[in-house]
Amino acid sequence: MTLNVAIQMDPIERVRIAGDTGFALMLEAQARGHTLYTYTPDKLSLRDGKVTARINPVTVRDVEGDHFTVGTEERIDLSTLDVVLLRQDPPFDMAYVTTTHLLERIHPKTLVVNNPTEVRNAPEKILVTHFPELMPQTLITRDKAEIEAFRDEFGEIVMKPLYGHGGATVFKTSKEDPNFGSLFDLFSGIFREPWVVQRFMKEVSEGDKRIILIDGKAAGAVNRVPAVGDLRANMVRGGAARPTDLSKRELEICEAIGPTLRERGLLLVGIDVIGGNLTEINVTAPTGVRAIKKLGGPDLAAQLWDVIESKRGSRQ
């Protein structure tokens, strides 16, 4: 089976291929003989009910600094393609949301991964709240009094913007922190969204585990250990990737959320677990696939393409 596959992504020349999951998916698709195209979200158009994009055929290679060659741009009706991979990075803003409205016009005739309707309806830090029994104590609000009461209850808390990503603007504060008021004022001026406020988990020093689920099943994991002096374990923030196995508790978490992910058509999902507590369910452009393989884990790009090909084949 040969598929025509478009990847909606950030400019390919900016991709850091060593850790980019989207690039790993492109390499695997190409190795299977699928035809690849790439386009950026600003190339999308909707006219008279038809969703088109100005796309470029592309070939890729795993060579830093020389990782792609693009062909001549062409305008194409995306409904004529077999698969679209939704892989641009957040922020999850109105521009991102708009692309999901357009892409849902072609899905499922064209298989969009992940389902754009469910990506829009399942922001990473909100979908997770459907499973409070799996989470640390969590508050979502902009109300300063509510945050102060939560801080009084738990002493040390972590705050992050609801639609933040990559560990940016995450900070820890305590009950006696004299900087809290200034931080609140600063971020209130920068962000219009609420914060996610969680009980601080000291176990983060041992790692923030990224677990990849494919079609609702646990497929592989990497443990991300924060750099000295930082509470953020994200690899783009200096976190170190370490091989890991899944604990009984982590398998239970995956089994609990798996059916919901499968029902929503969220084929590639990355969850974050600290000390046995689920903190996020990442559905926009989850990462970790390349790190897991490099550390001796399974080839998750191949597993995902097995699923995509199966689902695509069942529709023909």
Side-chain angles (χ1 to χ4, degrees):
M1 175 192 304
T2 300
L3 302 176
N4 290 311
V5 180
I7 303 91
Q8 179 173 304
M9 61 189 299
D10 299 311
I12 192 169
E13 62 270 18
R14 300 181 192 170
V15 170
R16 299 167 63 181
I17 67 172
D20 192 86
T21 290
F23 193 76
L25 298 180
M26 295 173 75
L27 287 170
E28 179 63 24
Q30 182 174 271
R32 293 176 178 231
H34 302 321
T35 302
L36 295 179
Y37 301 89
T38 182
Y39 69 94
T40 52
D42 59 298
K43 303 296 186 181
L44 274 175
S45 298
L46 171 65
R47 180 176 177 180
D48 300 328
K50 181 181 294 186
V51 179
T52 63
R54 288 189 288 117
I55 67 177
N56 295 86
V58 63
T59 56
V60 291
R61 48 198 168 270
D62 204 2
V63 180
E64 189 70 54
D66 182 30
H67 59 279
F68 72 98
T69 300
V70 297
T72 303
E73 182 180 89
E74 57 185 293
R75 181 174 174 271
I76 194 167
D77 179 349
L78 290 184
S79 70
T80 65
L81 300 178
D82 298 300
V83 179
V84 169
L85 300 181
L86 179 53
R87 286 299 310 179
Q88 86 252 28
D89 287 335
F92 189 78
D93 55 14
M94 287 309 298
Y96 200 115
V97 168
T98 299
T99 69
T100 68
H101 282 291
L102 270 57
L103 291 178
E104 73 179 3
R105 301 287 189 101
I106 65 169
H107 180 80
K109 181 178 185 295
T110 296
L111 179 63
V112 182
V113 181
N114 284 319
N115 180 340
T117 303
E118 295 301 336
V119 167
R120 183 176 67 248
N121 292 343
E124 346 271 47
K125 299 175 182 67
I126 292 182
L127 177 59
V128 67
T129 62
H130 289 273
F131 305 95
E133 71 282 2
L134 305 177
M135 298 181 65
Q137 292 84 351
T138 299
L139 169 70
I140 297 178
T141 189
R142 279 182 69 89
D143 189 312
K144 186 178 181 182
E146 289 291 329
I147 297 172
E148 290 175 329
F150 190 88
R151 184 180 57 157
D152 288 343
E153 182 177 354
F154 295 104
E156 294 182 313
I157 60 174
V158 172
M159 297 177 62
K160 49 191 173 182
L162 182 59
Y163 297 114
H165 62 99
T169 57
V170 176
F171 65 90
K172 172 189 170 188
T173 185
S174 61
K175 191 181 298 187
E176 290 81 23
D177 189 347
N179 294 308
F180 173 75
S182 294
L183 286 169
F184 182 88
D185 292 343
L186 174 64
F187 288 106
S188 291
I190 295 173
F191 301 107
R192 297 181 62 187
E193 68 220 56
W195 281 278
V196 178
V197 188
Q198 292 181 325
R199 171 181 60 81
F200 173 68
M201 292 170 286
K202 62 181 183 301
E203 298 92 340
V204 71
S205 63
E206 301 168 10
D208 180 349
K209 193 170 292 189
R210 164 56 56 88
I211 304 171
I212 300 293
L213 292 91
I214 295 177
D215 201 18
K217 296 181 180 179
V222 58
N223 194 33
R224 304 168 301 174
V225 180
V228 175
D230 202 330
L231 64 88
R232 302 168 300 175
N234 309 70
M235 287 181 279
V236 295
R237 304 295 171 190
R242 299 284 185 265
T244 189
D245 295 316
L246 297 183
S247 68
K248 180 181 178 182
R249 167 66 173 175
E250 290 159 350
L251 288 171
E252 289 172 350
I253 289 172
C254 294
E255 290 169 2
I257 68 175
T260 295
L261 303 181
R262 198 174 304 115
E263 289 166 9
R264 289 173 175 252
L266 299 170
L267 301 186
L268 178 62
V269 171
I271 66 170
D272 297 336
V273 178
I274 301 173
N277 291 281
L278 177 65
T279 61
E280 292 187 15
I281 300 177
N282 299 278
V283 303
T284 49
T287 61
V289 165
R290 298 214 85 180
I292 290 168
K293 185 177 180 180
K294 286 178 181 178
L295 291 170
D299 187 341
L300 302 188
Q303 289 188 32
L304 179 63
W305 276 108
D306 287 344
V307 171
I308 291 173
E309 290 172 352
S310 174
K311 291 182 179 295
R312 187 65 259 184
S314 68
R315 296 179 183 185
Q316 294 178 341

